[in-house]
Amino acid sequence: MFTVFLIIMDVLVIFSLAFVPYVTRKTELFGVSVPSEQIDIPELMALKRRYRNVMLGLGALLIAGTCVFGANADFTTPSSVFVLVGAMLGYVVAAFIAYLPCHFAMKRVKAAKGWANTP
């Protein structure tokens, strides 16, 4: 039963991190301000999709690992719980690592498009 709880927690964390670019302010993408009329250009949409797909792929690995390890884990020992919670925290760190290239790509797009004066 604890494994089911961890899978639910995994899913909540995965979806909240994978869809961050879709729920933040429309004039900000990966921490970079964008003119509101430019937010739907193909380059930016592709960047959002790439980030989402990477996060969902890593999330699928997290859920698979939780299922495999959770099915064989003895939850009476703290070490089993630490491994599964550590995997979730590792996913959060991976999300930050995946976010950085997108942030720098956005800065390059902003400079190339001449949006430097955008607040």
Side-chain angles (χ1 to χ4, degrees):
M1 189 64 187
F2 191 69
T3 303
V4 173
F5 172 73
L6 285 172
I7 291 170
I8 291 169
M9 293 303 297
D10 286 348
V11 168
L12 291 173
V13 169
I14 290 163
F15 280 99
S16 66
L17 290 174
F19 291 98
V20 162
Y22 296 94
V23 296
T24 55
R25 289 186 307 149
K26 287 287 187 189
T27 57
E28 187 174 312
L29 185 59
F30 298 110
V32 178
S33 58
V34 177
S36 59
E37 62 275 359
Q38 299 293 325
I39 197 65
D40 292 327
I41 65 172
E43 290 172 87
L44 304 186
M45 298 304 287
L47 195 58
K48 283 180 172 180
R49 279 191 306 272
R50 184 176 66 184
Y51 175 80
R52 181 200 61 211
N53 292 342
V54 166
M55 295 311 300
L56 291 176
L58 291 173
L61 292 175
L62 175 64
I63 290 174
T66 299
C67 290
V68 170
F69 187 80
N72 300 316
D74 174 20
F75 292 112
T76 59
T77 62
S79 61
S80 296
V81 175
F82 287 141
V83 167
L84 291 168
V85 171
M88 189 184 303
L89 291 175
Y91 178 80
V92 172
V93 170
F96 177 71
I97 292 169
Y99 182 91
L100 285 177
C102 294
H103 172 76
F104 292 121
M106 274 302 305
K107 288 178 89 169
R108 286 191 301 274
V109 168
K110 183 175 180 172
K113 299 281 186 183
W115 301 335
N117 294 330
T118 303

